[in-house]
Amino acid sequence: MKLEEFTKIPKVLGVGLVGVDGFIIEGQSTYEYDTERLGAIAARVVNRIKSSLDVKEASAVIYTKDNVLFLKEIATGILFVLCHKDANVGLVKIRLNKMK
């Protein structure tokens, strides 16, 4: 599955893949969100979860007042998807689960 599949979902604001170091590998934003900044945040959160909980892989869902940020570690890096809280978050989660 390609990152473009996420941006086809209405109200998805941005999607990207970063390395564990936080450097962007690929990113797409449908609005004015800085994918490099989101990628750095994604890497920091996932790495913090892994070190704090002493686990090999990590994922997270962060809810804010207006948005939802999905983070998932996959074989090629850390995938992040930012969407509006009114987006079809179930569909986003299904597509995230297909990413390995």
Side-chain angles (χ1 to χ4, degrees):
M1 179 176 289
K2 298 184 185 262
L3 296 184
E4 297 85 28
E5 295 299 315
F6 290 99
T7 56
K8 291 178 184 176
I9 301 171
K11 299 187 181 181
V12 167
L13 308 172
V15 60
L17 181 67
V18 294
V20 294
D21 55 5
F23 287 107
I24 197 87
I25 297 169
E26 183 179 356
Q28 297 180 1
S29 178
T30 56
Y31 292 90
E32 296 179 11
Y33 286 93
D34 184 351
T35 54
E36 289 184 9
R37 186 172 184 195
L38 286 171
I41 292 168
R44 182 176 176 127
V45 170
V46 168
N47 288 328
R48 181 65 62 125
I49 290 169
K50 287 171 60 175
S51 67
S52 297
L53 300 177
D54 194 28
V55 294
K56 293 183 181 184
E57 292 182 0
S59 62
V61 181
I62 301 171
Y63 292 90
T64 68
K65 179 182 172 196
D66 297 319
N67 299 321
V68 181
L69 177 62
F70 292 90
L71 311 172
K72 182 179 181 180
E73 189 171 14
I74 60 175
T76 54
I78 299 167
L79 180 64
F80 64 89
V81 181
L82 178 68
C83 60
H84 192 269
K85 67 178 182 178
D86 294 334
N88 187 341
V89 293
L91 181 57
V92 172
K93 190 166 176 12
I94 287 169
R95 289 195 179 164
L96 271 172
N97 287 338
K98 290 182 180 180
M99 303 294 285
K100 301 287 180 194

